[in-house]
Amino acid sequence: MSQPLQTSTNVPLKPSKNIFYKVSKRIFDIIASSFILILISPILGYVALRIKLEDNGPVIFKQKRAGLNDRPFLIYKFRSMKVINRQKDKQENLYNWPDRVPDDFVFKTTTGFNPNVTKIGRFIRKYSIDELPQFINVLKGEMSIVGPRPEIIEISSCYDDYQAQRLFVKPGITGWAQVNGRSEISHGEKIAYDLYYVKHQSLVLDFKIFFKTVYQAIFGKGAI
């Protein structure tokens, strides 16, 4: 596993101001996400139909996340939970750290059998298919294909100034933290990897992350 840059808390980071990089990254996002959405459209249609047939609830689940410069946006995911439990789940996603998010915090996802997850939900979660609608967020300009994963508002609201620097760039479907540990790393490690990305943004690094993600998806290395 690659080691993240140990970024000093005393040296504020600045996102890239390279116009060529920013324009090229946006062009890549539009072209790649459009191509991927067309390519996977049969999968999207099949999953949407299965979700609708199972309980006749909404196909898409929307959740508020922290975007570029901490501007909130609604992230799109295929719904994997039963409708009756959505409000309960929302109430459980509350965090209250007075100073900062602890470095040893690890976001716990539900493992094993969960009766609140639908049958199709278990399948799409296992293979991260529930995340595919986020390519629509990319087309809308709310996300990028590569960037720090968008944090839920309850957690990002507890960031200190150092941690908040990960919000200096547009959130992504995959990022440097995801290809170097994904869901298995602590919050402190995730921040270090994300700030490494903020400091070293480039097309070379973006493509490295993109192709490492494709490799991990094919060979099942961890879960985003």
Side-chain angles (χ1 to χ4, degrees):
M1 180 183 297
S2 303
Q3 293 299 317
L5 177 72
Q6 297 300 312
T7 307
S8 172
T9 59
N10 298 320
V11 182
L13 298 179
K14 295 182 180 180
S16 174
K17 293 185 178 180
N18 187 312
I19 298 301
F20 174 79
Y21 167 69
K22 296 175 71 173
V23 172
S24 299
K25 184 178 176 71
R26 181 58 184 152
I27 291 174
F28 173 76
D29 281 344
I30 294 173
I31 294 175
S33 57
S34 298
F35 175 77
I36 292 172
L37 283 170
I38 293 172
L39 186 67
I40 65 175
S41 57
I43 298 175
L44 300 179
Y46 174 75
V47 172
L49 180 62
R50 284 287 306 272
I51 293 173
K52 198 67 178 176
L53 288 176
E54 183 159 346
D55 62 6
N56 200 36
V59 170
I60 298 296
F61 167 62
K62 302 176 183 179
Q63 186 182 48
K64 190 175 291 187
R65 297 289 182 98
L68 177 63
N69 296 322
D70 205 22
R71 289 194 297 268
F73 72 99
L74 292 176
I75 196 173
Y76 302 139
K77 301 178 68 172
F78 277 128
R79 180 175 59 85
S80 59
M81 301 285 286
K82 296 177 182 178
V83 177
I84 193 171
N85 293 297
R86 292 290 357 141
Q87 185 61 35
K88 179 181 177 181
D89 291 342
K90 184 176 180 181
Q91 292 173 349
E92 290 175 349
N93 285 334
L94 298 176
Y95 304 90
N96 187 27
W97 297 293
D99 301 316
R100 68 198 304 267
V101 182
D103 286 343
D104 60 356
F105 167 70
V106 177
F107 188 85
K108 297 293 185 181
T109 55
T110 302
T111 59
F113 178 78
N114 182 348
N116 296 331
V117 178
T118 61
K119 293 180 180 179
I120 183 63
R122 285 192 287 272
F123 176 80
I124 62 178
R125 281 188 172 193
K126 180 178 180 180
Y127 296 101
S128 297
I129 296 174
D130 58 326
E131 308 285 353
L132 294 181
Q134 288 162 35
F135 284 106
I136 298 175
N137 289 115
V138 175
L139 275 181
K140 292 175 65 177
E142 298 164 333
M143 292 178 60
S144 179
I145 290 180
V146 177
R149 285 294 295 163
E151 191 65 90
I152 64 174
I153 300 298
E154 290 86 352
I155 294 179
S156 65
S157 64
C158 297
Y159 283 170
D160 62 9
D161 291 342
Y162 170 70
Q163 296 169 334
Q165 292 178 114
R166 73 186 296 272
L167 304 175
F168 286 174
V169 298
K170 194 178 292 185
I173 290 178
T174 184
W176 191 232
Q178 282 63 50
V179 298
N180 285 286
R182 312 183 94 181
S183 60
E184 302 157 2
I185 62 178
S186 68
H187 189 268
E189 292 173 304
K190 181 182 77 172
I191 291 293
Y193 281 119
D194 287 343
L195 296 191
Y196 176 93
Y197 177 77
V198 172
K199 184 172 183 178
H200 295 88
Q201 290 175 89
S202 69
L203 289 176
V204 172
L205 181 57
D206 283 352
F207 281 116
K208 180 178 180 180
I209 294 170
F210 178 78
F211 287 114
K212 285 191 70 172
T213 300
V214 173
Y215 174 83
Q216 290 177 343
I218 293 174
F219 292 99
K221 304 292 184 180
I224 295 179

